Amino acid sequence: MDHENSFLGRGWAFPPAFDTKSKRSMMVEEEEDIRQSLFIIISTIPGERIMNPKFGCDLTSSVFDNVDSLAVNRMKDLIRTAVLNYEPRITLHDVVVDTRDSFDGIVRITLDYTIRKINVRTNIVYPFYLKEGTNVTGM
């Protein structure tokens, strides 16, 4: 991996995984670290982290909401607030909530952002599942 952007950070891979040969945890760096950090922020329910109970984004409170403009705007606000508070390495430009598959229990959330230090604009798509028993992390 090119280490010229190493100032963007390095952290454990999400979900945590271990290399059996080196007996070390798998690590991610740079843009991938930021992408995974955003998934962690959006996937974490406030109160899950005992030492940082305000951390996260309470999207699960929207699971049983009618998918209307009020719910969409509430989701966008929850995400904007969480990213503003917990991911200082990016500038969030837009949050787009795609509700086309909401009858199937899926709402796709796209975050359009710029990595501040290197001025690279990118985006992620976070699949938020409205049905029980589905993969919430989307990773």
Side-chain angles (χ1 to χ4, degrees), residues 6-138:
S6 62
F7 57 87
L8 293 176
R10 179 182 171 136
W12 279 37
F14 181 77
F18 298 92
D19 182 2
T20 55
K21 290 182 182 179
S22 68
K23 301 203 183 339
R24 294 185 178 177
S25 61
M26 302 295 280
M27 305 295 282
V28 292
E29 296 181 2
E30 301 154 357
E31 291 93 346
E32 182 62 17
D33 185 39
I34 291 171
R35 189 185 79 76
Q36 289 188 9
S37 173
L38 290 169
F39 269 84
I40 291 168
I41 291 167
I42 295 171
S43 300
T44 303
I45 302 168
E48 278 187 297
R49 292 192 173 183
I50 294 171
M51 299 303 287
N52 191 359
K54 293 181 181 178
F55 180 86
C57 178
D58 194 17
L59 276 183
T60 58
S61 65
S62 301
V63 168
F64 296 107
D65 288 351
N66 289 329
V67 182
D68 57 10
S69 62
L70 181 65
V72 168
N73 286 331
R74 184 171 177 275
M75 284 186 231
K76 287 180 179 182
D77 185 55
L78 287 169
I79 292 167
R80 282 188 188 109
T81 301
V83 170
L84 177 67
N85 289 332
Y86 300 111
E87 188 46 83
R89 298 174 289 182
I90 69 166
T91 300
L92 185 62
H93 300 291
D94 197 13
V95 177
V96 177
V97 178
D98 178 0
T99 60
R100 286 180 286 188
D101 294 329
S102 64
F103 288 112
D104 293 328
I106 302 169
V107 173
R108 286 181 182 77
I109 302 167
T110 302
L111 279 62
D112 180 26
Y113 60 92
T114 299
I115 300 172
R116 290 180 178 174
K117 293 279 187 184
I118 58 174
N119 202 28
V120 171
R121 191 167 182 154
T122 188
N123 65 59
I124 65 168
V125 176
Y126 181 86
F128 180 58
Y129 296 94
L130 303 172
K131 290 183 176 179
E132 278 189 48
T134 53
N135 182 356
V136 177
T137 63

